[in-house]
Amino acid sequence: MENSKLSREHYIAFADAWLKAWSKADAELVAALYCDDLDYRDPSVPLGIKNKADFIQYLEVLFKAWPSQRWKLEHLYPHGNQGAFSAEYSFQIANGKTTIRGRGMDLMVLKEDKVCVNHVYLNADQWNGWIAAELRKK
């Protein structure tokens, strides 16, 4: 689908499917929704990930550390540029010892129904500390 044909309803359907994939904690399933050359950033990787192979590797580590994932779309905000929107969501990730709950908002840019830009903004002030502590345990 060309970006010029994207509607708010399409963005919502895409965001719902995208968050369902994240909730399954399956690196290949999530990565299938992304462009090969991407710009992914979250609090753990503020300088970003630029290719799918590195993204899959990152997701595998993340999902191993946090195998229980729940993400739910709360609001969606289309941008003026076709293919671009922001998604606001609630989340819970857990690993049997620790549970992190919060809210976030992502900047998303789609190209041919693949995510090419995904910048993640979370409210969890201690996110990096929690992630780093869990990764040290592995």
Side-chain angles (χ1 to χ4, degrees):
M1 174 180 289
E2 292 180 26
N3 286 340
S4 63
K5 297 179 183 177
L6 296 180
S7 65
R8 185 173 193 285
E9 292 75 25
H10 180 81
Y11 294 145
I12 290 171
F14 183 90
D16 279 333
W18 167 70
L19 290 173
K20 284 179 184 170
W22 277 88
S23 293
K24 291 182 180 178
D26 180 325
E28 294 288 339
L29 180 64
V30 171
L33 298 171
Y34 286 76
C35 297
D36 290 333
D37 58 334
L38 57 104
D39 181 3
Y40 175 86
R41 300 175 195 187
D42 74 22
S44 299
V45 287
L47 298 178
I49 297 172
K50 302 296 183 189
N51 64 70
K52 194 179 283 192
D54 290 345
F55 186 53
I56 291 170
Q57 183 178 28
Y58 170 73
L59 292 173
E60 288 171 346
V61 170
L62 182 69
F63 294 152
K64 184 175 180 182
W66 302 96
S68 176
Q69 304 262 331
R70 280 192 267 164
W71 301 83
K72 181 180 181 261
L73 183 65
E74 301 291 343
H75 302 284
L76 189 128
Y77 308 97
H79 294 203
N81 298 340
Q82 289 294 321
F85 63 92
S86 291
E88 182 182 354
Y89 49 82
S90 57
F91 67 89
Q92 175 179 307
I93 65 173
N95 63 12
K97 297 176 241 167
T98 304
T99 299
I100 300 173
R101 291 179 188 87
R103 297 183 63 82
M105 180 176 274
D106 286 19
L107 165 65
M108 307 283 288
V109 178
L110 304 180
K111 181 178 177 186
E112 298 174 7
D113 264 359
K114 298 281 186 182
V115 179
C116 293
V117 175
N118 183 188
H119 295 182
V120 180
Y121 304 93
L122 301 172
N123 72 339
D125 293 338
Q126 298 178 7
W127 179 267
N128 284 332
W130 287 324
I131 299 296
E134 290 302 316
L135 293 177
R136 281 193 299 274
K137 293 177 187 176
K138 303 299 173 201

